[in-house]
Amino acid sequence: MCRHLAYLGPPRSLSSLLYEPPASLERQSWKPLHQREGAMNADGWGVGWWDTTVRPEPARYRTEAPMWTDRSFRSVAEIVHAPAITAAVRSATPPSPIVDTGNAPFAAGPWLFSLNGFITGFRGEVGEGLRRSVSHQRAIGIEGTTDSEVLFALVLDQLDAGCSPAEALDHVTSQVLARAEGRLNLLLSDGAQIFATTCGNSLFTLQGTGLAADGVLVASEPLDEDPGWTAVPPGSVVTADRDAVRVDPLSHPGGLP
C-alpha cells in the first residue's frame, strides 16, 4: 500500500507538506494512521512540482530509499516553493522490485499519477490482459514492472481518446474491476486540477483553510488535526481545483473492503 497527496494553491515550500505537519507524508512513511494493509511505506518515495513559468511539465524526484532516511532532499524541500505539488510514499506489492522507477509520481507530459493500492493477480493473466489493452504509443513509455504504470498508461489512453480526466479514471477503474479485485485509489494532476478515486482506501480533502488556505489538498489521510478535513465516501471520483471540490460516484464502486 502507499500514501499520496496533491496540492494546488499559493506557492508553498515542499517541506511544508512533506516534512513539517504533525502527520506529514514523511511520518506517514513510517506511521500511517488510516492505512488498511501494511504498517509502513518504506520502499521509496517521490515528489513532483510544477512551475509553468519555466515549462508545462513538472519537475520530479524519486528514490528507492525510505523517505525518513532521505536527509539530503529535506534541505532542498525547505527552499523549493511551488503552487502545485504531488507526492507519494511506497509500500511495494511483492514481488515488485524496490527501484526508483517503481515509485510514484509517474509522469507523462503535464501529468503526474499515483496509485494507492494494488491489482489482485497482476503478476498473472490479469496483468497480461491489462498490458495488452495498452496502446503501443503508451506502452513504450512504461519503464518498470508495476501495476501503477500500466494503470497510468490506460488512463493516458483514455485522455488521448478525448475523455475528461475524471471520466478516464472512472473508465480505468471499471475496466480493472471487471477483471479482478483490488484497491484502486488513483491520483492524477496536471498542476491546474486534481482528480482522484476512492476504491478500497481512504481519501480526504481540505479546501480554503489551514494547509490549503486559498487552495486545496487531496490526501490519503489528514496531515494535521484541522477540522476542515473531509473524508471522501468510498466509490467516488474527486475533481478539485483551487476554488471547488466535486465528488461524483464511480460507475463501478467496487474494490476490496
Side-chain angles (χ1 to χ4, degrees), residues 112-126:
L112 291 179
F113 175 85
S114 175
L115 166 67
N116 172 18
F118 59 87
I119 302 171
T120 302
F122 180 75
R123 296 297 168 185
E125 294 183 2
V126 172

Side-chain angles (χ1 to χ4, degrees), residues 31-44:
K31 192 177 181 180
L33 299 179
H34 293 265
Q35 193 160 305
R36 294 184 177 176
E37 295 189 20
M40 301 178 75
N41 297 287
D43 299 325

Side-chain angles (χ1 to χ4, degrees), residues 18-19 25-32 39-45 63 65-72 74 89-90:
L18 301 182
Y19 299 102
L25 192 66
E26 180 193 38
R27 184 177 179 86
Q28 292 175 33
S29 68
W30 57 271
K31 192 177 181 180
M40 301 178 75
N41 297 287
D43 299 325
W45 75 284
T63 176
M67 188 175 181
W68 69 84
T69 70
D70 191 4
R71 299 181 184 276
S72 295
R74 183 163 189 162
V89 290
R90 183 186 185 207

Side-chain angles (χ1 to χ4, degrees), residues 36-109:
R36 294 184 177 176
E37 295 189 20
M40 301 178 75
N41 297 287
D43 299 325
W45 75 284
V47 59
W49 63 96
W50 289 259
D51 183 348
T52 55
T53 64
V54 177
R55 67 184 191 197
E57 298 82 14
R60 183 176 56 150
Y61 172 86
R62 297 188 295 174
T63 176
E64 68 274 15
M67 188 175 181
W68 69 84
T69 70
D70 191 4
R71 299 181 184 276
S72 295
F73 190 82
R74 183 163 189 162
S75 66
V76 175
E78 291 173 351
I79 64 171
V80 173
H81 289 67
I85 302 165
T86 296
V89 290
R90 183 186 185 207
S91 176
T93 303
S96 294
I98 311 304
V99 292
D100 59 356
T101 55
N103 293 337
F106 301 93

Side-chain angles (χ1 to χ4, degrees), residues 131-196:
R131 288 189 189 94
R132 287 194 296 268
S133 299
V134 175
S135 70
H136 175 72
Q137 174 189 356
R138 293 305 181 180
I140 60 177
I142 296 176
E143 298 178 316
T145 62
T146 64
D147 49 2
S148 301
E149 279 198 279
V150 173
L151 288 170
F152 187 28
L154 291 169
V155 169
L156 292 170
D157 275 337
Q158 292 300 309
L159 295 174
D160 293 340
C163 288
S164 72
E167 290 171 341
L169 296 186
D170 189 359
H171 178 90
V172 170
T173 300
S174 296
Q175 181 180 359
V176 173
L177 292 178
R179 297 171 178 261
E181 293 184 325
R183 301 190 189 278
L184 299 173
N185 275 39
L186 313 181
L187 179 66
L188 180 71
S189 181
D190 62 356
Q193 289 184 292
I194 300 166
F195 308 90

